[in-house]
Amino acid sequence: MALAAFEKAKTPGLHVWRVVKMNLNLVPKDDHGNFFTGDAYLVMYNSAKSTPAIHSWVGSEATQDESGAVAILMVQMDNHLGGGPRQYTEFQNDESNTFLKYFGGSIKYKKGGVASGFKDVDVNDFEDVKRVMHLKGRSCVRATEVNFSWDSFNSGDCFIIDLGKDIYHWSGSKSNSFEKLKSKVVAKDICDSERRGRATVHSIDEGQEPKEVLDVLGPKPDVLPEGCPDTTPQVSRKAKCEASLYMVIPKDTDVCNSLFTRASQLNVYPRFSCPLSSFSGPKANNDERNAANTAADKFIKDHDYPGKTKKVIMAAGAEDTLFKEFFFNWMDKGETVGLGKTNTRGTIAKVPKVPFDASSLHENKTMTAQHGMVDDGSGKVEIWRVDHSSSDKVAVDPSKYGHFYGGDCYLIKYSYKSGGRLMHIIYNWQGNKCSVAERTLCAHLTVQLDDSMGGAATQVRVTQGEEPAHLVSLFKGKLMVVYLGGSSRSGGQTAPGDVQLFHIRLSSTNATRAVEVEPTAAALNTNDAFVLKKSGGLVIWKGEGAADEEMESAKFLAKTLGGSVTEVKEKSEPDSFWAALGGKTEYQTSKMLKNVVKPPRLFECSNKTGRLIVSVFFNICFNCSNRCFAFIWKGCHGISYRYKGKSLKYIDTDPSGRRGIPIVTFKQGQEPPSFTGWFQAWDPNAWDSKV
């Protein structure tokens, strides 16, 4: 019977089996998402668009024999499928988001199991059904069968009272609208899947229970407990940012601690495992995969980890996003230094690159999102410098627009029309050499300016050298120049160094900027053009991969700086060029792959419980990171600004080492096209309707 299940696992789709005495019994599709707490299950998801995944699920009341059997069967199924699928261990009430989404965001726990001699409810005979199910969770809801008594109820949650022909979703007086909505969905699912539509669903609030409910549950107590808020275990920031990598063969050896600097290390070893994740090298055989799995179990036991510590087992080329996030410079097969091209057995949310075309900007939402362009930059621009001495902002002379100094902070207000209404963006630009007090004042003035416009503006925090394409495009007919230090305030300028080096960078929208960098050879890049200012004149250096637009901008900057100009090509530099840079050294010579878009990730940030909890998906306020931007969306009743600051720490603690990327903040109903373009089914009128 197990062999038949292994063959079934090769077919596309979702398959669920219940473990019965070392065999696998296929669960009908109508019962998918229903789990008996005394059982163990195998769940297989096979899709041509993603890496196959096998999940073992163990109920809270499952026996040790069942737990061991499902672990063995998962390994056997993986071996039968050639070791390609990812393997996940799941436990009741602690399932991964990957597992939960197979079942539409809600699963139901039923009492009983094979060992206890349970009996499935006959869909044609449900006269005597009496059960109560307790609903918990937000983005993913778990419905757990509890004792059929008022003692199981509380005022803070929602419950399902299942009486066979009548199904009641009961809402506590202190439950929120989201929980009420989910209880309706679960009640309807029970009616459709378990009763074949031959039941009636009723909605009741606490204190309005009908006679039919009181007859079976008895009189309701006058006061019910408030219930406990949904909580998740606290994890220290250190634990989130650090990890250890161990090689299983020939023996457990600590290879690297904290952030892994070279993921390519993995390809030279047959097998790796680390807490929660196990990696299979391309030449690992079945015995090595089994040995690594056993070693991972021993590791969990030896380090006194909880017995229900989850494991994820994956093969080379099938690493998931969360695994890759622990590595500072993960490179997939065929990828070079720089922006890489992922080439795995199963890609996650593969996003094709869309070339920029300003003429179709408003019609192509995908292009708008990928390039971060809400429009072509032809709107109205106003710029202020943050003045710490007066604790206010000072208007910048329009003739100086486009010049930014590393010792300053600036506010750039951009106004444009979208869909017939006036929209605003406030860029909060922070120089790398400005003081902490200036950055704090800059953030305060950003909020103040936003409030003066009714709080409808989109806020974008930009750090020096990480300017987004749209900001670069605002200075029509001029070149955006970012100076390493100095200030634009009157009398505050510092004398530039004897040698200055400017990096001319072309954005994906063909807008260019000049960024001053440290005048060393290591700062050069074969993909771009540079302008070197030294005694005796200016040198325009053309890298082998430099674009014509970059060379034109380099000439424009040279004219602005003044002096005689000499052009040199890469690999034909005179000795005086290297001498001005302190000597010839290694620099970036790899051609970057520029036609790749990193998949975006979405996180919910909620302070419903009194502390900030971040999880994948969203409801109230969320971060959406597409690796070049981080978006923060704030619901109309969402988290406060003090919690928004905590959500920004997601970037600061990212194991992959991203720092300084633009942070875009906006409110519900004011979403810019550069954000909504990531959602193919985004409905701009959704906020007009009430759930």
Side-chain angles (χ1 to χ4, degrees):
M1 191 176 294
L3 183 59
F6 297 164
E7 288 297 319
K8 178 74 173 177
K10 295 180 179 180
T11 61
L14 179 66
H15 311 291
V16 182
W17 297 272
R18 180 187 293 124
V19 176
V20 181
K21 297 180 180 179
M22 279 302 294
N23 280 316
L24 294 173
N25 289 355
L26 187 65
V27 176
K29 287 187 177 181
D30 288 340
D31 289 334
H32 285 184
N34 295 287
F35 296 90
F36 286 92
T37 59
D39 281 341
Y41 293 78
L42 266 188
V43 176
M44 175 72 191
Y45 182 72
N46 201 344
S47 171
K49 296 182 179 180
S50 62
T51 301
I54 308 173
H55 301 256
S56 66
W57 185 92
V58 179
S60 60
E61 299 175 358
T63 64
Q64 190 66 34
D65 289 343
E66 288 171 322
S67 300
V70 74
I72 294 171
L73 288 167
M74 181 166 66
V75 172
Q76 291 177 347
M77 180 176 288
D78 178 64
N79 290 340
H80 188 80
L81 298 175
R86 297 180 188 139
Q87 300 176 45
Y88 299 82
T89 57
E90 311 283 357
F91 298 95
Q92 181 180 335
N93 291 313
D94 193 27
E95 295 86 353
S96 65
N97 289 313
T98 301
F99 180 84
L100 291 169
K101 71 181 181 181
Y102 297 151
F103 307 102
S106 64
I107 57 177
K108 297 181 282 292
Y109 303 135
K110 298 183 177 181
K111 287 186 175 181
V114 174
S116 62
F118 78 94
K119 293 183 179 179
D120 279 318
V121 176
D122 189 337
V123 296
N124 297 309
D125 182 16
F126 45 83
E127 295 286 345
D128 297 327
V129 172
K130 291 181 181 179
R131 63 175 178 173
V132 171
M133 306 193 79
H134 182 193
L135 276 66
K136 294 288 288 184
R138 292 183 57 79
S139 56
C140 294
V141 175
R142 297 169 173 86
T144 306
E145 186 174 349
V146 294
N147 291 332
F148 195 79
S149 166
W150 284 115
D151 293 338
S152 300
F153 287 72
N154 67 69
S155 297
D157 292 324
C158 293
F159 294 77
I160 301 293
I161 304 171
D162 186 2
L163 301 182
K165 290 185 176 180
D166 293 284
I167 303 170
Y168 300 86
H169 54 91
W170 182 95
S171 303
S173 58
K174 296 182 180 180
S175 61
N176 60 46
S177 57
F178 181 82
E179 293 170 330
K180 293 177 181 178
L181 175 63
K182 281 294 185 179
S183 70
K184 295 178 183 178
V185 173
V186 175
K188 187 176 185 304
D189 180 65
I190 294 174
C191 176
D192 293 341
S193 62
E194 297 186 23
R195 307 293 148 74
R196 302 294 193 270
R198 290 177 291 175
T200 304
V201 177
H202 309 270
S203 176
I204 55 176
D205 294 325
E206 181 179 354
Q208 299 179 355
E209 295 80 9
K211 180 178 181 298
E212 292 79 5
V213 171
L214 297 177
D215 285 346
V216 292
L217 280 172
K220 187 182 79 68
D222 294 333
V223 180
L224 292 175
E226 293 186 2
C228 300
D230 298 341
T231 59
T232 55
Q234 289 277 37
V235 181
S236 68
R237 185 182 301 180
K238 180 179 180 181
K240 290 179 180 178
C241 299
E242 293 186 357
S244 296
L245 186 64
Y246 294 84
M247 183 173 68
V248 173
I249 299 173
K251 62 180 180 179
D252 286 354
T253 304
D254 190 353
V255 176
C256 181
N257 288 318
S258 191
L259 301 181
F260 310 139
T261 56
R262 284 190 177 275
S264 56
Q265 290 175 333
L266 295 174
N267 292 328
V268 302
Y269 296 109
R271 184 75 176 186
F272 278 80
S273 75
C274 57
L276 302 183
S277 297
S278 181
F279 171 87
S280 172
K283 296 182 180 180
N285 55 37
N286 288 351
D287 291 338
E288 289 170 332
R289 286 195 293 268
N290 297 342
N293 194 17
T294 302
D297 291 332
K298 184 176 183 297
F299 184 96
I300 292 172
K301 182 178 180 180
D302 292 346
H303 288 74
D304 294 325
Y305 287 179
K308 293 186 177 180
T309 298
K310 293 188 287 185
K311 295 183 299 180
V312 181
I313 302 174
M314 62 196 76
E319 303 85 0
D320 62 11
T321 302
L322 293 179
F323 181 77
K324 295 179 183 180
E325 287 293 329
F326 282 100
F327 298 87
F328 177 74
N329 186 26
W330 179 275
M331 291 188 294
D332 289 297
K333 183 178 180 181
E335 185 174 358
T336 61
V337 176
L339 295 177
K341 179 180 180 180
T342 303
N343 183 19
T344 60
R345 295 185 65 230
T347 56
I348 300 175
K350 184 177 180 180
V351 185
K353 180 74 172 181
V354 180
F356 182 75
D357 178 10
S359 64
S360 61
L361 189 61
H362 296 291
E363 290 78 25
N364 193 329
K365 295 181 180 180
T366 301
M367 180 180 65
T368 299
Q370 288 187 10
H371 297 279
M373 297 288 290
V374 298
D375 69 351
D376 60 1
S378 59
K380 182 180 179 182
V381 179
E382 296 177 81
I383 303 178
W384 297 268
R385 177 181 54 81
V386 174
D387 184 45
H388 184 251
S389 61
S390 63
S391 297
D392 204 350
K393 61 183 186 293
V394 178
V396 174
D397 186 340
S399 65
K400 302 294 184 182
Y401 280 9
H403 290 257
F404 296 86
Y405 294 83
D408 286 336
C409 289
Y410 297 87
L411 296 182
I412 303 100
K413 174 187 171 184
Y414 180 72
S415 303
Y416 66 103
K417 284 192 175 182
S418 176
R421 63 175 179 171
L422 187 64
M423 305 286 286
H424 304 281
I425 299 175
I426 303 174
Y427 288 102
N428 167 355
W429 189 93
Q430 301 177 358
N432 289 338
K433 296 187 178 181
C434 66
S435 66
V436 174
E438 287 175 315
R439 293 182 185 180
T440 302
L441 178 60
C442 187
H444 173 73
L445 292 174
T446 300
V447 175
Q448 192 177 81
L449 181 60
D450 184 17
D451 290 343
S452 70
M453 296 183 290
T458 297
Q459 300 176 30
V460 184
R461 188 188 74 176
V462 180
T463 57
Q464 181 178 345
E466 297 291 341
E467 295 78 17
H470 185 258
L471 176 59
V472 178
S473 71
L474 301 187
F475 310 102
K476 304 298 183 182
K478 298 181 180 179
L479 177 67
M480 182 178 186
V481 183
V482 179
Y483 297 93
L484 195 60
S487 172
S488 62
R489 62 181 179 272
S490 178
Q493 294 90 344
T494 56
D498 295 333
V499 179
Q500 290 179 279
L501 183 64
F502 293 87
H503 185 178
I504 311 300
R505 302 171 63 180
L506 182 69
S507 73
S508 62
T509 61
N510 296 324
T512 53
R513 59 180 165 171
V515 179
E516 185 181 1
V517 295
E518 293 292 343
T520 65
L524 297 175
N525 190 313
T526 192
N527 301 284
D528 300 317
F530 288 76
V531 175
L532 174 65
K533 182 181 180 181
K534 61 184 181 67
S535 59
L538 301 165
V539 178
I540 297 178
W541 183 86
K542 182 181 180 181
E544 291 184 343
D548 293 339
E549 293 87 348
E550 291 173 334
M551 288 300 295
E552 290 300 317
S553 295
K555 294 174 183 178
F556 182 91
L557 176 63
K559 183 178 179 180
T560 302
L561 296 175
S564 60
V565 179
T566 304
E567 292 187 26
V568 299
K569 294 183 178 180
E570 185 177 5
K571 296 182 180 180
S572 62
E573 304 88 352
D575 293 340
S576 59
F577 176 83
W578 297 117
L581 295 176
K584 186 175 182 179
T585 60
E586 291 185 358
Y587 60 89
Q588 172 61 273
T589 57
S590 298
K591 298 293 180 64
M592 294 190 298
L593 303 177
K594 298 181 179 180
N595 296 320
V596 175
V597 180
K598 294 291 185 180
R601 300 180 64 195
L602 195 61
F603 302 87
E604 174 193 3
C605 308
S606 172
N607 65 332
K608 177 188 175 184
T609 62
R611 59 185 177 85
L612 188 68
I613 297 176
V614 180
S615 56
V616 178
F617 201 58
F618 83 97
N619 181 47
I620 302 297
C621 173
F622 60 80
N623 295 347
C624 178
S625 168
N626 73 341
R627 316 306 170 92
C628 296
F629 287 89
F631 295 98
I632 296 182
W633 179 93
K634 185 174 182 293
C636 59
H637 302 295
I639 63 177
S640 64
Y641 274 97
R642 70 188 184 95
Y643 281 105
K644 187 196 80 171
K646 291 184 178 180
S647 68
L648 294 179
K649 293 179 181 177
Y650 157 68
I651 297 297
D652 297 333
T653 59
D654 182 6
S656 67
R658 289 182 298 150
R659 300 293 184 271
I661 66 172
I663 310 295
V664 184
T665 306
F666 45 86
K667 300 179 181 66
Q668 175 181 327
Q670 302 293 334
E671 299 83 1
S674 54
F675 171 78
T676 58
W678 289 107
F679 303 88
Q680 294 182 347
W682 183 272
D683 180 6
N685 301 315
W687 314 124
D688 298 334
S689 60
K690 295 183 179 180
V691 177

